[in-house]
């Protein structure tokens, strides 16, 4: 009897499979537009308007109703026969998929069916949960077409980005943003557009070749290690690369697009280095930095390549255009996983390096070179400070603080373009507020002035421009 129920459950699953393999369902999938993203509401409209598919779906429902009655009758017989048994039979009745589950199934067919792998699509995150655990099943998710700041059309070169925008919006790096201000005016304050603003493929090639045009000269600081010197990495080591722009290069902001380290190990080493990287965007204390989320939310991981005929490896982090961001100081913490020889397990690791000891030799490493890749943006601090002070003074005097629309639009544009370069945040979490860090450390505003300027910009954005609230997480 239990075998009969098992066969019936398999028949139930086979009915779903037959429906998905039907000509009607396959034709429906082929007719779905692939030039833009289809939210579940759009899939629902197309689902309901396909008469052939609806006829085939009604056949499926009728078949499942008949099967459900048979399964229920068989289950009742089984339970009545098992009254005197020591253990009651365990059987779960199959449930019919709802229309919403079928619509999500359609989205999964569209966006989570790549490289022979399958997954389930999550519209709230616009991402796939692959059944293999890796992200190999996810196809490029098309852009969203709609009104306002949504795309008017997706790009032919990269379907995930906008190709054109609606009236009143301009295309900027695959996104549509309000035409609040002429970009040339923003360039007078911060030169966001530079000659080194390469396309992704070209940028990746230059980073792999370590092109000298992308070198940024930084100062290496560490009280715990020295370059080109072997050290014991079993305990945390800290090093920093800093620019000291407030003293040396006050007319520039700096962008990081990659990081490279050359690490050499002793032969037969059991060391597996681990790096934790914190970034200070515009100077400040260590607490005003953020941690690079390697491998999370689409963020890249370290790439490790062994150099030919040596015990050295190039560790490279390629941020590219997508994850490039402002930096003033990069803090690198090195930890390691290692199989420690028995004789060294009680060793503090704080003594001098002894290369003659074969047990200790295998755990030593050295960093031969460390390099930040990026470029600098020309920054007119005096001009920007003058614009910020106009807003600040009007606000403190209680006047109509958005009377100068051109200044408000200009600062809104600059704030948006700076905060857009913040690191990725978890779904549902706000972005970090890099703009306030720039006000604090490069324009030298105090906390009260920063709050007044941001509040004035928020009020202008919501009351005059009728845009949504600007939610960010405090960093500085």
């Amino acid at each position: 009897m239990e075998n009969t129920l098992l066969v019936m459950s398999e028949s139930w699953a086979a009915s779903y499979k037959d429906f998905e393999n039907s000509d009607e369902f396959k034709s429906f999938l082929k007719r779905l537009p692939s030039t833009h993203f289809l939210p579940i509401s759009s899939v629902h409209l197309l689902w309901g308007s396909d008469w052939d598919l609806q006829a085939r779906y009604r056949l499926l429902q009728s078949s499942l109703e008949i099967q459900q009655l048979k399964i229920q009758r068989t289950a009742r017989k089984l339970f009545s026969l098992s009254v005197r048994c020591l253990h009651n039979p365990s059987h779960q009745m199959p449930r019919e998929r709802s229309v919403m589950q079928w619509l999500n199934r359609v989205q999964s067919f569209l966006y989570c069916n790549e490289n022979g792998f399958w997954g389930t699509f999550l519209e709230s995150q616009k991402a796939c949960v692959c059944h293999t655990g890796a992200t190999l099943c996810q196809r490029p998710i098309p852009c969203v077409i709609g009104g306002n700041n949504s795309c008017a059309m997706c790009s032919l070169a990269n379907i995930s980005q906008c190709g054109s925008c609606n009236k009143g919006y301009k295309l900027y790096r695959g996104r549509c943003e309000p035409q609040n201000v002429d970009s040339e005016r923003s360039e007078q304050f911060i030169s966001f557009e530079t000659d080194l603003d390469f396309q992704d493929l070209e940028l990746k090639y230059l980073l792999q070749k370590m092109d000298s045009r992308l070198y940024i000269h930084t100062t290496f600081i560490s009280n715990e290690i020295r370059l080109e010197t072997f050290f014991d990495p079993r305990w945390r080591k800290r090093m920093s690369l800093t620019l000291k722009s407030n003293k040396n290069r006050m007319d520039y902001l700096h962008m990081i697009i990659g990081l490279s380290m050359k690490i050499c190990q002793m032969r037969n080493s059991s060391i597996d280095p681990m790096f934790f990287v914190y970034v200070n965007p515009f100077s400040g204390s260590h607490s005003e930095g953020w941690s690079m989320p390697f491998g999370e939310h689409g963020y890249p991981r370290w790439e490790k390549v062994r150099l030919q005929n040596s015990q050295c490896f190039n560790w490279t982090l390629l941020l590219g255009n997508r994850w490039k961001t402002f930096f003033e100081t990069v803090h690198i913490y090195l930890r390691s996983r290692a199989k420690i020889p028995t004789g060294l397990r009680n060793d503090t690791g704080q003594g001098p390096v002894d290369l003659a000891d074969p047990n200790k030799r295998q755990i030593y490493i050295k960093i031969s070179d460390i390099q930040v890749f990026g470029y600098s943006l020309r920054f007119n601090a005096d001009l920007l400070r003058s614009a910020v002070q106009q807003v600040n003074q009007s606000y403190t005097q209680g006047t109509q603080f958005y009377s100068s629309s051109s200044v408000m639009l200009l600062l809104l544009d600059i704030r948006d373009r700076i905060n857009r370069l913040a690191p990725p945040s978890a779904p549902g979490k706000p972005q970090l507020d890099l703009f306030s860090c720039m006000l604090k450390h490069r324009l030298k505003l105090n906390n009260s002035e920063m709050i007044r300027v941001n509040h004035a910009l928020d009020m202008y954005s919501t009351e005059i421009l009728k845009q949504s609230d600007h939610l960010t997480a405090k960093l500085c």
Side-chain angles (χ1 to χ4, degrees):
M1 190 74 71
E2 287 191 12
N3 290 336
T4 303
L5 284 174
L6 183 61
V7 171
M8 288 181 175
S9 297
E10 292 174 351
S11 177
W12 183 281
S15 298
Y16 284 148
K17 203 68 179 175
D18 290 342
F19 176 72
E20 292 175 356
N21 292 329
S22 66
D23 293 337
E24 293 84 355
F25 187 78
K26 289 181 178 179
S27 298
F28 170 70
L29 289 179
K30 288 181 180 179
R31 287 195 296 270
L32 292 176
S34 59
T35 55
H36 60 273
F37 176 70
L38 286 178
I40 205 163
S41 56
S42 299
V43 177
H44 194 189
L45 289 173
L46 296 169
W47 171 281
S49 60
D50 191 316
W51 298 109
D52 292 336
L53 179 68
Q54 290 303 306
R56 183 65 181 82
Y57 182 59
R58 284 192 291 272
L59 286 177
L60 171 67
Q61 289 179 309
S62 300
S63 173
L64 293 178
E65 287 177 4
I66 294 171
Q67 291 183 53
Q68 191 174 38
L69 290 173
K70 290 181 179 179
I71 293 173
Q72 287 175 346
R73 284 199 299 267
T74 305
R76 281 195 292 268
K77 288 181 181 178
L78 178 62
F79 276 89
S80 63
L81 292 173
S82 64
V83 172
R84 299 183 182 277
C85 295
L86 294 176
H87 302 286
N88 289 326
S90 176
H91 178 73
Q92 187 173 4
M93 296 290 291
R95 292 184 178 181
E96 184 179 353
R97 283 182 191 165
S98 65
V99 173
M100 291 301 293
Q101 288 175 313
W102 276 112
L103 299 179
N104 180 251
R105 182 80 171 163
V106 170
Q107 285 183 314
S108 300
F109 273 109
L110 291 175
Y111 308 127
C112 307
N113 177 18
E114 187 75 356
N115 302 315
F117 297 97
W118 294 86
T120 302
F121 185 71
L122 303 178
E123 184 169 336
S124 59
Q125 301 179 20
K126 289 191 71 175
C128 298
V129 177
C130 299
H131 299 160
T132 57
T135 57
L136 299 173
C137 71
Q138 182 165 320
R139 292 178 174 176
I141 308 298
C143 74
V144 176
I145 287 182
N148 298 327
N149 63 341
S150 297
C151 307
M153 184 179 73
C154 296
S155 170
L156 297 177
N158 185 350
I159 198 168
S160 299
Q161 298 182 348
C162 298
S164 62
C165 300
N166 297 303
K167 187 177 180 180
Y169 293 82
K170 62 182 178 180
L171 186 64
Y172 179 75
R173 294 181 184 172
R175 295 177 56 180
C176 294
E177 60 179 27
Q179 287 182 324
N180 291 335
V181 66
D182 187 352
S183 60
E184 293 183 2
R185 290 195 60 211
S186 296
E187 293 293 318
Q188 296 174 11
F189 295 79
I190 303 174
S191 59
F192 289 101
E193 307 293 338
T194 72
D195 295 336
L196 296 177
D197 216 4
F198 297 108
Q199 296 294 322
D200 285 333
L201 290 177
E202 187 178 11
L203 188 59
K204 186 174 182 179
Y205 174 80
L206 293 175
L207 286 172
Q208 288 174 339
K209 296 296 181 182
M210 298 187 180
D211 193 289
S212 59
R213 287 177 291 175
L214 298 177
Y215 279 15
I216 291 186
H217 178 70
T218 56
T219 302
F220 177 85
I221 300 174
S222 178
N223 294 325
E224 299 168 358
I225 64 174
R226 288 184 295 172
L227 296 179
E228 290 288 359
T229 302
F230 280 99
F231 62 91
D232 186 339
R234 286 176 293 163
W235 281 262
R236 188 189 75 170
K237 305 294 183 183
R238 175 181 172 180
M239 50 195 147
S240 299
L241 298 166
T242 187
L243 291 162
K244 299 184 179 179
S245 298
N246 286 326
K247 295 180 179 179
N248 304 325
R249 307 184 67 188
M250 299 179 64
D251 295 335
Y252 290 92
L253 301 177
H254 308 281
M255 199 75 69
I256 179 174
I257 57 176
L259 188 62
S260 175
M261 285 186 283
K262 181 180 176 183
I263 299 178
C264 299
Q265 302 173 209
M266 303 300 292
R267 192 174 297 277
N268 300 324
S269 173
S270 58
I271 289 294
D272 184 14
M274 296 172 58
F275 299 101
F276 300 86
V277 181
Y278 292 81
V279 178
N280 280 104
F282 303 103
S283 190
S285 63
H286 189 275
S287 62
E288 295 176 321
W290 55 270
S291 173
M292 287 187 172
F294 302 122
E296 298 179 16
H297 321 302
Y299 206 77
R301 299 178 184 272
W302 287 98
E303 297 178 10
K304 179 183 176 183
V305 178
R306 183 169 184 169
L307 301 180
Q308 193 173 8
N309 300 322
S310 75
Q311 289 296 115
C312 298
F313 298 82
N314 262 344
W315 289 70
T316 309
L317 179 67
L318 303 177
L319 300 180
N321 280 320
R322 184 179 182 189
W323 299 119
K324 67 182 180 182
T325 187
F326 293 103
F327 91 103
E328 177 64 26
T329 303
V330 177
H331 304 277
I332 303 171
Y333 292 90
L334 186 149
R335 295 182 175 88
S336 63
R337 296 186 292 258
K339 296 179 180 178
I340 307 299
T342 305
L344 297 179
R345 287 177 183 169
N346 296 324
D347 187 4
T348 63
Q350 303 302 316
V353 171
D354 183 8
L355 295 177
D357 188 333
N359 285 330
K360 289 186 176 182
R361 277 172 57 89
Q362 63 180 312
I363 64 173
Y364 293 146
I365 68 172
K366 71 175 178 180
I367 298 177
S368 299
D369 182 47
I370 183 167
Q371 176 64 50
V372 174
F373 296 98
Y375 51 87
S376 300
L377 309 178
R378 191 168 292 278
F379 174 58
N380 193 328
D382 293 334
L383 192 61
L384 185 56
R385 187 181 294 107
S386 175
V388 168
Q389 291 299 346
Q390 286 185 48
V391 176
N392 191 29
Q393 290 173 7
S394 299
Y395 188 84
T396 55
Q397 293 170 3
T399 59
Q400 192 75 359
F401 54 86
Y402 39 73
S403 56
S404 178
S405 294
S406 60
V407 173
M408 300 300 292
L409 291 172
L410 177 71
L411 291 179
L412 279 171
D413 182 70
I414 291 175
R415 182 174 75 168
D416 179 65
R417 295 174 77 171
I418 288 177
N419 284 340
R420 195 184 303 150
L421 294 168
S425 55
K429 297 290 183 67
Q431 279 186 322
L432 290 178
D433 183 7
L434 300 188
F435 179 73
S436 293
C437 292
M438 188 271 294
L439 295 179
K440 178 178 180 179
H441 294 295
R442 299 309 299 271
L443 299 188
K444 305 301 181 183
L445 270 62
N446 59 40
N447 288 336
S448 299
E449 291 171 324
M450 287 162 48
I451 292 172
R452 286 196 293 266
V453 169
N454 276 307
H455 188 251
L457 293 176
D458 291 339
M459 292 288 288
Y460 185 86
S461 178
T462 55
E463 293 189 4
I464 303 302
L465 300 182
K466 305 300 181 183
Q467 295 178 356
S468 58
D469 290 339
H470 179 74
L471 298 177
T472 54
K474 182 180 179 181
L475 180 63
C476 300

